[in-house]
Amino acid sequence: MLGLRRAAAALLPPTAACVRASGSMAALLVSQPRYAWLRELGLEEENPGVYNGRWGGSGEVVTTYCPANNEPIARVRQASLEDYEETVKKAKEAWKVWADIPAPKRGEIVRQIGDALRQKIKVLGSLVSLEMGKIFVEGVGEVQEYVDVCDYAVGLSRMIGGPILPSERPGHALIEQWNPVGLVGIITAFNFPVAVYGWNSAIAMICGNACLWIIAKVLEDNKVPGAICSLACGGAEIGTAMARDERMDLLSFTGSTKVGKQVALMVQERFGRSLLELGGNNAIIVFEDADLNLVIPSALFAAVGTAGQRCTTARRLFLHENIHDEVVAKLAKAYAQVRIGDPWDSDTLYGPLHTKEAVKMYLDAVEQAKQQGGSVVCGGKVINRPGNYVEPTIVTGLPHNAPIVHTETFAPILYVLKFKVEEEVFTWNNEVKQGLSSSIFTKDLGRIFRWLGPKGSDCGIVNVNIPTSGAEIGGAFGGEKHTGGGRESGSDSWKLYMRRSTCTINYSKDLPLAQGIKFQ
Ligand SMILES: NC(=O)c1ccc[n+]([C@@H]2O[C@H](COP(=O)([O-])OP(=O)(O)OC[C@H]3O[C@@H](n4cnc5c(N)ncnc54)[C@H](O)[C@@H]3O)[C@@H](O)[C@H]2O)c1
């Protein structure tokens, strides 16, 4: 498995946008006593961005910045194309060793990876918070998600496999055999730097496919090649090389629909296999009979949590016309109480956007919303403090099909829209290009099952009385249409990391043909 991460401070992948070519002379946070805990993770002023059994890298040196104050954290030496080439070769070799290890033994190594993560969970969570900007509890939650997926994968390592099917021919066995696809490339998005990698790597590893940091030590302790989990920090150049590379048996891409489409087309061009986890434009629908004690905190968490930078963030809130004004007033009150601050302070609920570019996109979207007929009920401005902070924003009065409502702006802007009847609002839920997550709030049992049914939500995640975000790892995660159709994590997502062979074995002395065909 080869993980592509946007230039990382050795452990985590911030976006290309928040990394800049080195040159800044400001003191790095990693060298300041307040951030001495970064050393606990082995981070230095300059960190290697390549791992293939050995740490290295000979590409561009970039600096990674903290979005809460825009101060430089550390530098990373990224992968060059030569590093990439060497890493793929080593990963392919390592796969030969890994594929021979029985799945439950692979599961045991994944269990140790989960334990190693558990031991560093707080400090890793702090690093996520420092580098990505999400609040500390969410940073820790992300590492917890990786731990959970490891536990899940351990159990799965004794359960994956195909059925023995009844053969129509006497003396024949019809068996479904599942084998690892080989080398899995993983390209991750900035907003879930740990979890997305974890979902992919833990499951892919138990499936027998040929990741880092702390993981490298577990692999080395188990005397298996470190290149099983390789790393190449980089941007579009390395990503494109992966997409075009015939040796990449599966390319799992998490990111925007725009880049995902380019990647998917490159992979398809070579008839390769891709797993796409792309953008969302998620809606919460609140009916008249909904319990507003559930609705307000759910909408707040889904729209404001992670500063609106989750793929499952609620961007559209459909309110029945009879409760519209009441819910907007209550929500605006809740928004006013959101504690804004440094993401690593335990009191903070709301941190910065990831980059300065994201702040520009936010301001641009607010402007477009106004031009298209929207009224800003609260928020809409940049917050006057260091870092990339913007106000969580509610916009009302837009038509359900306004262009800005149909656009995923990766920022905390919630469009509140009015509806009258179930049929129209289910249609409006589905009319956007994306199909990731969706929620209704109601007590009507018939409506709940219509929502889950063929004329209900067309999304991959279909919720009732809970927010659009915050999925559990046990279910399959992903969405339809422009979200890409991929599924990761739980249920039978493991099948995407394997190839299926239908095997027919004749253990008789005759040669009957299927469908009773006589060929004599
Ligand atoms: N569906 C999901 O599970 C999920 C999860 C997290 C994020 N997302 C989506 O990701 C987006 C935000 O993340 P982002 O800003 O990091 O996305 P992005 O598309 O800008 O970047 C994603 C990754 O693609 C790499 N990349 C850039 N150009 C490339 C190219 N030409 N070829 C190959 N790789 C290339 C980047 O280096 C990065 O690692 C949002 O749209 C969000 O909805 C989806």
Side-chain angles (χ1 to χ4, degrees):
M1 180 175 324
L2 179 68
L4 165 67
R5 0 212 78 223
R6 292 174 154 196
L11 279 159
L12 296 176
T15 65
C18 92
V19 296
R20 296 171 216 155
S22 188
S24 164
M25 296 309 285
L28 296 169
L29 297 187
V30 72
S31 303
Q32 297 178 19
R34 191 177 159 202
Y35 300 94
W37 54 270
L38 287 168
R39 302 276 176 179
E40 208 185 304
L41 291 168
L43 294 178
E44 306 282 341
E45 294 210 335
E46 187 170 315
N47 302 279
V50 174
Y51 178 76
N52 52 31
R54 252 183 346 145
W55 288 96
S58 57
E60 187 189 5
V61 177
V62 294
T63 305
T64 169
Y65 289 82
C66 170
N69 49 30
N70 283 318
E71 289 182 31
I73 304 171
R75 292 187 294 270
V76 180
R77 186 170 288 282
Q78 300 198 110
S80 62
L81 282 174
E82 291 74 33
D83 295 325
Y84 169 76
E85 198 46 45
E86 182 193 351
T87 302
V88 172
K89 277 192 190 131
K90 285 192 174 169
K92 279 283 189 193
E93 279 304 307
W95 178 79
K96 292 179 189 161
V97 178
W98 190 241
D100 280 345
I101 298 175
K105 294 240 159 59
R106 299 196 291 255
E108 165 54 22
I109 293 176
V110 171
R111 188 193 65 74
Q112 292 173 34
I113 291 172
D115 274 354
L117 290 165
R118 269 188 188 93
Q119 283 165 21
K120 301 262 187 220
I121 193 161
K122 290 227 164 94
V123 71
L124 280 170
S126 300
L127 178 59
V128 173
S129 188
L130 186 74
E131 227 179 353
M132 185 275 162
K134 63 176 65 175
I135 60 173
F136 174 68
V137 284
E138 288 189 62
V140 172
E142 220 191 298
V143 187
Q144 182 64 46
E145 221 173 305
Y146 192 174
V147 170
D148 292 344
V149 172
C150 286
D151 286 352
Y152 177 80
V154 178
L156 208 56
S157 71
R158 290 183 182 270
M159 291 158 68
I160 50 172
I164 298 177
L165 299 155
S167 170
E168 67 185 57
R169 289 172 275 185
H172 284 57
L174 191 54
I175 295 173
E176 202 171 278
Q177 168 83 17
W178 290 84
N179 283 308
V181 288
L183 181 59
V184 179
I186 305 170
I187 301 181
T188 62
F190 81 84
N191 64 327
F192 276 90
V194 176
V196 167
Y197 180 74
W199 296 345
N200 279 281
S201 73
I203 307 287
M205 281 179 80
I206 64 103
C207 289
N209 299 295
C211 304
L212 334 233
W213 345 317
I214 293 165
I215 298 172
K217 182 166 174 351
V218 174
L219 297 177
E220 284 154 20
D221 286 353
N222 281 280
K223 301 198 172 27
V224 292
I228 289 164
C229 286
S230 298
L231 167 76
C233 291
E237 190 185 36
I238 299 287
T240 303
M242 289 169 80
R244 294 205 170 121
D245 196 332
E246 296 257 355
R247 297 165 296 177
M248 212 56 68
D249 300 296
L250 168 69
L251 188 60
S252 172
F253 176 88
T254 301
S256 61
T257 295
K258 185 169 166 253
V259 177
K261 186 174 174 182
Q262 292 168 17
V263 167
L265 290 173
M266 286 187 276
V267 176
Q268 188 59 40
E269 180 71 29
R270 59 178 173 84
F271 286 106
R273 201 195 279 203
S274 60
L275 192 172
L276 302 172
E277 296 283 354
L278 313 179
N281 190 346
N282 317 293
I284 294 179
I285 302 171
V286 185
F287 288 90
E288 238 182 319
D289 65 341
D291 180 348
L292 295 191
N293 291 327
L294 299 180
V295 170
I296 306 300
S298 296
L300 186 72
F301 175 67
V304 172
T306 330
Q309 300 168 108
R310 285 189 186 221
C311 50
T312 49
T313 291
R315 312 209 177 272
R316 298 176 294 151
L317 177 63
F318 290 105
L319 300 175
H320 189 273
E321 59 181 0
N322 293 348
I323 54 166
H324 177 275
D325 294 355
E326 182 190 356
V327 173
V328 171
K330 285 190 164 148
L331 206 52
K333 206 169 149 199
Y335 267 53
Q337 287 160 11
V338 169
R339 294 183 302 277
I340 299 171
D342 284 331
W344 50 84
D345 280 353
S346 57
D347 209 33
T348 300
L349 283 182
Y350 179 88
L353 289 183
H354 191 44
T355 60
K356 290 179 180 160
E357 287 72 18
V359 175
K360 280 197 211 102
M361 284 193 297
Y362 161 88
L363 288 173
D364 187 46
V366 171
E367 210 38 56
Q368 283 186 52
K370 285 188 206 158
Q371 279 167 15
Q372 289 168 29
S375 311
V376 175
V377 173
C378 64
K381 297 188 292 298
V382 168
I383 299 173
N384 185 16
R385 55 172 288 159
N388 311 319
Y389 286 82
V390 299
E391 293 173 346
T393 302
I394 298 176
V395 178
T396 56
L398 282 163
H400 63 91
N401 55 359
I404 193 67
V405 174
H406 282 213
T407 306
E408 184 201 40
T409 302
F410 221 53
I413 307 173
L414 182 66
Y415 304 112
V416 182
L417 311 148
K418 256 186 213 175
F419 75 93
K420 286 191 175 65
V421 294
E422 177 187 305
E423 203 181 346
E424 70 179 359
V425 77
F426 282 7
T427 305
W428 294 350
N429 176 71
N430 296 348
E431 73 182 355
V432 293
K433 296 275 189 208
Q434 307 86 342
L436 182 53
S437 186
S438 54
S439 302
I440 56 167
F441 283 78
T442 184
K443 297 189 191 101
D444 183 329
L445 201 55
R447 176 174 287 144
I448 291 172
F449 280 91
R450 287 193 293 279
W451 173 241
L452 308 184
K455 295 180 187 163
S457 171
D458 66 359
C459 293
I461 298 170
V462 183
N463 293 336
V464 178
N465 295 330
I466 62 159
T468 48
S469 54
E472 297 179 23
I473 62 110
F477 184 92
E480 305 297 340
K481 304 187 299 187
H482 285 210
T483 304
R487 291 295 187 277
E488 285 175 353
S489 204
S491 187
D492 64 353
S493 308
W494 61 268
K495 289 182 174 171
L496 288 164
Y497 301 86
M498 303 196 85
R499 58 182 177 82
R500 178 193 336 226
S501 315
T502 301
C503 315
T504 311
I505 301 153
N506 179 4
Y507 58 89
S508 73
K509 292 201 162 82
D510 300 321
L511 197 63
L513 299 178
Q515 294 88 44
I517 291 173
K518 302 270 181 237
F519 199 74
Q520 290 163 348

